[in-house]
Every structure is written in C-alpha cells, then in structure tokens.
Amino acid sequence: MSRLQVVSGKGGTGKTTVAAALALALATEGKRALLVEVEGRQGIAQLFETQALPYEERKIAVAPGGGEVYALAIDPELALLDYLQMFYKLGGAGRALKKLGAIDFATTIAPGLRDVLLTGKACEAVRRKDKRGRFAYDYVVMDAPPTGRITRFLNVNDEVAGLAKIGPIHNQAQAVMRVLKSPETAVHLVTLLEEMPVQETADGIAELRAARLPVGRTIVNMVRPAILDEADLELAREAPRTAVAKSLSAAGLGGARRGGVAERLVEPLLSQADEYAERYALEREQRAVLQGLELPLHELPLLAEGMDLAGLYELAKELRQQGIS
C-alpha cells in the first residue's frame, strides 16, 4: 500500500467517512496512521466524537491490534506561518503579518499557494522520520477536496508555475510533486451507485490520469443490501396475482377469501418489487461502468442505524476484509 492515501469524491458520497474508516483499517496490528483534513469542516472530529481538532497532530483512536490513528486539521494560515519560519526565519514578524492580514491576502491572490501549503504539510508528514530513522507514520490519509477540484488541488506544480520559477516556493512545490506523483501516493475516489456520482468519478479518474497522478481504487459507499436476485424479480414480474394472494394467505397474511387482506396486499407488494427492480437495474448498470474503469473496486454497506463511531469501526473491518489494508 502507498504511504500517502488521498481520498476524494463527489459531495454527499461520504468521502470523509471513508477516509476515516481507511485510516482505521490501515492502523491495524500496531501501525500508526495520520488522518489529515484540509477543508476546515471539522468532519473528522464529528465522526470520532471528539472536540474540534487544533492545528497539531492528536491521537483520536486506537485501531484493532493496538494501532493508533492521529488526526490533523491543516489551517492554511498557520501552515504559511510554519513555511515562513522554516525558510525565512521571520519569528515574531510572521505573527505580525497574520495580524495585518497579509496571509489572507497572499492566499487569496495566489490560491495555488494555499494548495501547496496544504499538500506540503501532508507530504512532510509522509517523509518525516524519528531519531531512529523510522517513519513517524506508516500511513497518511488525506480527506481531500471533492472530485471536481482534486486534480487541480494535487497538481500544485502547475498551480504555482506562474508564481515562482525559482526559490523556496518553487522548490517546495517540486518536493511536493515528487511525493504526489510517486508510488508513495494513491488517490482513491468515493462514489455511490448513482449516475451523477459515477460519471463524476469517471471524469475525475480521466483527469487524474491525464495529469499523471497515481489513481488508486474506486470505493462505492452506502451500498444497499440485495433483497431480491434476478430469479426473484423475474418471478415477481410473471407470477399471477391470484397465485401471489394464495402464497400470502398460506404465509398467514390474511384469509384466502376474495377481497381479503392477502388480496389487498398484492398490488402494493408488486409495486414495491417493480421499484426495486428499477433500482436494481440502475445500480447494476452503474457498477458495470465502474468496473470498466479498470481499477480495484470496493463496496461499503449502507448502515441501517446510521453512522456513529461503532459504524466507523465496522466499515474499517469491511475494508480490511476486502484486502485494502
């Protein structure tokens, strides 16, 4: 597995949930994973039922087998202060710049710089080693921007090309791109079995490939359980109404008399079967599109009781069982 796992997806597909579950799945058997948030939404804190994340790495969960998950919410302003201190040793002058609004100004007129700061902080965590020469984290998982912006966000070298041809900013962008375009990185896209998210996923993969960014896996989230198979649906389409009513009656759902409960249940049940058949066909069609993208495909179930911390661990277990860790 690549050490930097970038997770993107169309809004509403649950990419933050998948990123969190992936971090838990990777942090098994004593591994350490850092889960990074770059959009300032504090979605990770909500999922792990903890306080808002500060701009520092904090342990938020223990994975099965004793592994640890840390989290970091990257603040672009504070990341820029780190950057200025690292390369220019500004000290208190950097804090003064923040008070004057210079940092907001810089990241507004040069949005590419903001992305360099965000991706750069994640890449620094990937490369960081402890005093014994071991990597500080086995994996870094980034909850990245949505699919429509992911290629531009990651392709920071192009974004800053017009800002700096030489110097520390240029060198930082080059260092970031060396990580992002290497086997150390994999970009996963989260989708649903619906036409719009699947199409956006296909478009996103094409854009990533065109930019020579390493595409990893496609993860289908919130997959509803199969209730009827092809044979059941065919039977529902062809079975005479009277036969269905008799079967309902035999199952104890009302008497067999004409106009009874069993007979009144026939049309609603067959109507539901028709609706399910339509959804089944659409999902099968979208699954075929995803399979045609020639990437490893994983599916995560829709949790009937909603998403909570226990559900997050359940999804992590599912990912491990599917061989993603």
Side-chain angles (χ1 to χ4, degrees):
M1 290 289 288
S2 301
R3 295 189 57 250
L4 175 58
Q5 307 276 316
V6 180
V7 180
S8 181
K10 179 177 169 56
T13 59
K15 70 177 179 64
T16 300
T17 299
V18 172
L22 178 59
L24 277 171
L26 293 172
T28 55
E29 306 305 326
K31 298 289 196 304
R32 284 163 54 97
L34 175 65
L35 180 57
V36 175
E37 183 175 81
V38 298
E39 295 184 280
R41 296 185 294 105
Q42 290 292 337
I44 292 172
Q46 294 174 32
L47 280 170
F48 284 93
E49 301 173 6
T50 187
Q51 295 178 342
L53 297 174
Y55 182 59
E56 63 183 36
E57 292 159 21
R58 171 191 290 176
K59 187 166 78 170
I60 59 170
V62 176
E68 297 175 329
V69 176
Y70 288 74
L72 170 66
I74 303 178
D75 182 304
E77 284 194 352
L78 296 176
L80 181 54
L81 287 177
D82 282 351
Y83 175 84
L84 293 173
Q85 177 61 24
M86 183 186 307
F87 290 105
Y88 298 104
K89 310 300 180 186
L90 292 184
R95 291 187 292 274
L97 285 173
K98 186 177 189 304
K99 290 181 180 178
L100 291 171
I103 293 173
D104 281 338
F105 178 71
T107 54
T108 299
I109 64 170
L113 176 59
R114 181 181 185 277
D115 291 347
V116 170
L117 296 169
L118 295 172
T119 54
K121 192 71 176 176
C123 290
E124 181 276 326
V126 171
R127 298 190 300 260
R128 190 192 315 156
K129 293 184 178 181
D130 60 22
K131 294 179 180 179
R132 289 180 286 182
R134 299 182 306 183
F135 286 115
Y137 294 103
D138 297 288
Y139 299 100
V140 176
V141 180
M142 180 193 292
D143 176 22
T147 315
R149 204 170 82 80
I150 187 61
T151 301
R152 182 176 177 182
F153 173 78
L154 294 176
N155 207 18
V156 293
N157 192 44
D158 288 348
E159 289 297 297
V160 301
L163 299 175
K165 303 295 184 183
I166 58 173
I169 294 177
H170 172 80
N171 294 339
Q172 174 75 353
Q174 292 289 311
V176 168
M177 288 312 301
R178 280 195 292 272
V179 174
L180 293 180
K181 289 195 172 184
S182 77
E184 283 190 291
T185 299
V187 185
H188 311 303
L189 295 186
V190 181
T191 186
L192 305 177
L193 286 177
E194 298 174 5
E195 186 174 0
M196 286 186 64
V198 167
Q199 184 59 56
E200 189 163 315
T201 297
D203 293 342
I205 289 170
E207 289 178 4
L208 288 165
R209 284 172 169 165
R212 297 183 180 179
L213 288 162
V215 186
R217 303 161 186 259
T218 304
I219 302 173
V220 184
N221 195 23
M222 294 185 274
V223 177
R224 286 169 285 196
I227 301 172
L228 304 174
D229 59 19
E230 287 280 2
D232 294 329
L233 291 172
E234 185 66 25
L235 182 61
R237 282 191 294 267
E238 296 182 352
R241 266 50 177 173
T242 52
V244 175
K246 287 180 180 179
S247 296
L248 291 172
S249 178
L253 296 175
R257 63 184 178 82
R258 187 176 181 81
V261 175
E263 191 171 291
R264 293 199 301 272
L265 287 174
V266 172
E267 289 305 324
L269 284 173
L270 292 179
S271 177
Q272 285 189 345
D274 288 341
E275 291 176 8
Y276 179 84
E278 183 177 355
R279 177 168 65 82
Y280 181 89
L282 289 172
E283 290 182 349
R284 184 177 57 182
E285 184 179 303
Q286 297 309 313
R287 189 177 278 112
V289 172
L290 293 172
Q291 290 169 342
L293 298 175
E294 299 181 346
L295 290 173
L297 183 62
H298 303 270
E299 297 191 6
L300 293 175
L302 174 67
L303 301 181
E305 297 182 1
M307 179 52 60
D308 55 13
L309 193 54
L312 203 56
Y313 276 86
E314 185 177 335
L315 293 184
K317 180 180 179 181
E318 185 69 31
L319 286 172
R320 290 196 303 274
Q321 289 175 343
Q322 294 185 30
I324 206 168
S325 60

